[in-house]
Every structure is written in structure tokens, then in C-alpha cells.
Amino acid sequence: MDIKAPRGVRDILPDESWRWAYVLDVTAKTMADFGHSEIHLPLFEQTELFSRGVGDTTDIVEKEMYNFTDRGGRNLTLRPEATAGMVRAAVEHGLCAQGAASRLWCWGAMFRYERPQKGRYRQFFQIDAETLGVSGAVADVEVIALSAEIFRRLGLRNLEVVLNSVGCPKCRPIYRDKLLKHFSAHKGELCKDCLVRLDRNPLRLLDCKEPGCGAVANAAPAIYDCLCDECAAHFEDVRNGLSGLGFRYTLDKRLVRGLDYYTKTAYEILSGDLGAQNAVCGGGRYDNLSESVGGPHLPGVGFAAGVDRIVLIMEEQGCSFGQCPQKEVYVVAQDDTPAVCNAVLSLTHRLRMEGIPAEQDAGDALGKKRSAKSQMKSADNAGVTWACLVSQDESHNIVIAMKNMNTGEQTTARPEEVARRVKESYNI
Ligand code: AMP
């Protein structure tokens, strides 16, 4: 076929999808333990939600969004991240009306027009958790602890929590001016993207990956001296909270994250096993996001973690994904008489209704039944424990030969006995 999946878009095939299911199961349980309720958000939103929420000067909005106009002339965008949609949904449905914390989570595909490479795709999947409606540091600590706990339960090793504060609209302008002064004095060493960013958003220069810019950014002033009293106290509370829970973290004055909506806390969890795309999770506080998209004041804090990258690291580190779903029984028709074919169909269905994974031959591409020998080959390839060979005896009774594929032992059974025998064999 000359039509392929679009560049940067992957199919998650059956031999990988069960690993994803495991990661999502563990995530769902951890989210519930931390009091987060699941929400399903739309895959596309009004473009304005992201241009105003995520910020006009971010890479995401400037270069990476999949924008389109629908037949009604509406400007829409495939969601590049989940936080803005979460805040929109919480406001639209009054989920924070009671004035207490509203803890939500979701997972699903996000879309960004980025240069594809290992661990970076144009359609990728995120797990996302948000705590809305509260401004205290407890929520920040909880959210960081939640992300770390998901990774602990999944068995991920070699992770590092990196923390920073990006201040608030009161104190950030002072820091912005300091940065502008610093970077302007080193214009000759900056890449061309950073020269553009310098006027629009000098904070973004701090996380440029170009070596020249990196050296200048390393020598840049840290935000800590500029934080207002409120941001400084919040930052200290977050740090104390994390230390109190026994979390180790590294401070990184260059961590600003690629989204404009962050205030105060910004953090990432990095993996030593991911190469260039080493961030497995990123998040922080965004107290003004709701207002920037026309909503009420609604402080919030959350994180997003990449499922593609989590699975990649787990595979590299040899982590367990639980048990791959087993195929138990293959029901084989010994001949193609209607009585045998019907018996195969009904035995397979009966086993499935008993919760026993069962397969049968569905014929070939031309609709022809396959021989008993080819069906046995399929049973072998499927790795089933039992092959049930269905035939008729001289008195036209249906008989089943149950062959244990591991031991080669074979016994006969009536159709109604097969499920019980298979179940009994689990307990041996
Ligand atoms: P962000 O929304 O940019 O803060 O990203 C949060 C997490 O999503 C990252 O730490 C990655 O694990 C994952 N992620 C972000 N962008 C991509 C991408 N293009 N491909 C795969 N995973 C991604």
C-alpha cells in the first residue's frame, strides 16, 4: 500500500498495546488513591483556548499546532496539551464551584508539529493530572508526589526531579529585565531563534538547547533574588513539603518550561535513559491561566507525563508490565461438516462467555475452511495451552479431544465439560 501513517504518527501494535494498558491501569489506580477523578476531554478545541492560554510566544502556539477551519468556518486546533482544556471544562461545568480543590485527571493523544525522533512524535499520548481551585503549596507537593508515585509503582529507575520557581506577574517583570540586560550583552553568542525570543520572551532563552546559548544561560542571574515575598514563601513551602516526604530534587534555575501559563512552581522529572528527549514528565502551577482565557480566577497546579516515553524507558530498564494476555484455547474443527462447524462455533462462544480466551478458525481470505492440520498450526502459533479438537463419533455425538499443548496429553470431553476442565487446569 502506498498510503502510510503520517510522519511522526505511530500505530501502537498489539505486542505493545498490552504494555500501554498496564501503564494506564497503574496510573488510574494511583490517580484514584490521590483523589483525582477521570475526565474525558475533546481532542479539539477552539484555537483561541491555546493561543491565549498556552501563550502566543511559545513554540507550541507559534510553530507546532495543528489548526484547521471546520465547514462552519470555526477556527479549531487539535489539542497540543491537556491543561487548557481541563481548565476550560472545569469552568464550563462549574467543577470548582464549592471553593475547595477539584482533582482531575485524563489521558489521551496530543498533537504537535515537532521534528520526529526517538521519544518525540507528532501524535503522542499524555497522562495529565490537575488540581484546580487552590493556591497553597500543599497542592504542588501532592501533584509532584503523585507523578513520582506513578513512576515508582511502574518500577522506573534513574529518575531525577528538577524544580524551579518562575515567579508571578508581580515579580517576573523584574527578573525579565535582568535577563534582557544579561542576554543583550551576549547577543553575538546567541542562536537566531534566541535573538527573536530576546524581545518577545527572554525567559525562553534559559532553556535553549544550543551550546552557545546554553553557556550564556548558565551565567544568567537566577530568579531566586527577584521572587516577591509571596512567591519566595510558596517556593520554600514546596521545598519543605517535598523534603518532609523524603523526596530528593535538584534546583535548576534554567527550568522555565515551554508554556507561558506557569506561575511559581515549575518542575520536570528527567530520565537518565531517554537520550536527548529526557523529560518524562513536566508540570507546575498556573494561577492565571483561567483568567487569560476569559474565565474566573482559578489557581491550579498539574503535570503531564508522556506515555510513549514511559513505555520506552520501562522497556529499556526491563521493568515488568504484568502479564501479557494469554490465549488459552484454540477450538479446531476436525472436518467441515455442518454439525462439527456449529459445535466449534458454540463451544468457542461458550468458553468466551465463561471468561476463557478462546479462538477458532474463521476460514481463509476466500471464505474457505482451513484443514485441521492448518488449524493445529495456528493453535501452536497462538501459544494456547489447550487445543480442543471437535469431531463426531459413529453415533453422531459431538466429541472433544482436549490436547494439552504443553504436555502433549490428550483426553476426551463433552462440550459442556470443557470450560470446567480448563479452569481446573489453572489450579494445578
Ligand atoms: P509538555 O506538555 O511539553 O510539558 O510535556 C510533558 C511530557 O509529555 C514530556 O515530559 C514528555 O514525556 C511528553 N511529550 C511532550 N512532547 C512530546 C512529543 N512530541 N512526543 C512524545 N512525548 C512528548
Side-chain angles (χ1 to χ4, degrees), residues 89-110:
V91 171
E92 194 171 327
H93 303 288
L95 299 183
C96 303
Q98 77 280 37
S102 177
R103 295 182 180 86
L104 301 167
W105 81 280
C106 71
W107 76 277
M110 308 292 152

Side-chain angles (χ1 to χ4, degrees), residues 144-403:
I144 298 172
L146 165 57
S147 54
E149 176 61 8
I150 293 172
F151 300 143
R152 189 191 69 80
R153 291 189 190 185
L154 291 172
L156 265 66
R157 300 180 303 276
N158 202 6
L159 296 180
E160 185 187 12
V161 178
V162 182
L163 184 70
N164 197 18
S165 173
V166 292
C168 70
K170 262 190 289 173
C171 52
R172 202 180 304 148
I174 304 166
Y175 183 52
R176 189 182 181 280
D177 287 347
K178 272 195 176 184
L179 283 181
L180 195 59
K181 217 158 130 200
H182 171 77
F183 284 113
S184 300
H186 293 89
K187 271 188 177 167
E189 293 143 71
L190 303 179
C191 71
K192 67 177 187 327
D193 280 351
C194 278
L195 288 173
V196 177
R197 287 179 193 137
L198 189 57
D199 289 329
R200 303 193 64 188
N201 188 353
L203 255 78
R204 292 296 323 284
L205 272 71
L206 288 172
D207 66 1
C208 180
K209 300 281 185 285
E210 293 293 326
C213 305
V216 183
N218 279 336
I223 195 169
Y224 311 124
D225 307 330
C226 303
L227 292 179
C228 63
D229 290 348
E230 188 187 321
C231 287
H234 186 91
F235 193 38
E236 198 176 330
D237 288 347
V238 172
R239 295 178 59 183
N240 287 338
L242 289 175
S243 305
L245 293 180
F247 281 104
R248 275 194 284 160
Y249 59 86
T250 314
L251 288 186
D252 182 355
K253 66 173 187 184
R254 286 183 55 190
L255 179 74
V256 288
R257 317 263 305 115
L259 304 95
D260 276 358
Y261 52 56
Y262 286 113
T263 48
K264 298 180 177 156
T265 310
Y267 85 103
E268 275 186 348
I269 300 186
L270 308 179
S271 163
D273 293 291
L274 268 180
Q277 299 307 316
N278 64 345
V280 61
C281 162
R285 178 162 279 286
Y286 45 87
D287 289 345
N288 306 314
L289 170 57
S290 170
E291 282 149 305
S292 71
V293 291
H297 178 64
L298 183 67
V301 58
F303 74 83
V307 181
D308 306 74
R309 291 190 197 172
I310 292 172
V311 173
L312 211 62
I313 306 172
M314 288 177 70
E315 282 170 350
E316 252 155 54
Q317 295 185 347
C319 299
S320 162
F321 288 92
Q323 245 217 311
C324 173
Q326 292 297 314
K327 305 210 164 138
E328 279 302 324
V329 181
Y330 199 104
V331 185
V332 174
Q334 288 283 54
D335 59 59
D336 61 359
T337 55
V340 166
C341 291
N342 285 340
V344 166
L345 193 61
S346 80
L347 176 58
T348 309
H349 189 62
R350 186 181 211 145
L351 290 169
R352 289 170 176 169
M353 286 173 74
E354 291 275 347
I356 297 169
E359 278 195 42
Q360 66 188 325
D361 179 42
D364 66 13
L366 298 172
K368 279 216 328 242
K369 300 241 164 19
R370 292 157 68 240
S371 69
K373 199 167 152 205
S374 342
Q375 293 175 57
M376 279 306 282
K377 211 161 169 189
S378 299
D380 218 17
N381 292 341
V384 293
T385 311
W386 293 98
C388 288
L389 296 91
V390 180
S391 59
Q392 261 181 314
D393 63 15
E394 309 83 59
S395 335
H396 301 290
N397 294 320
I398 292 293
V399 284
I400 319 274
M402 289 182 69
K403 179 171 179 187

Side-chain angles (χ1 to χ4, degrees), residues 112 114 119-121 124 126 257 259 279-282 304-306 309:
R112 293 182 196 170
E114 292 193 271
R120 189 164 72 193
Y121 311 100
F124 57 97
Q126 283 186 339
R257 317 263 305 115
L259 304 95
V280 61
C281 162
R309 291 190 197 172

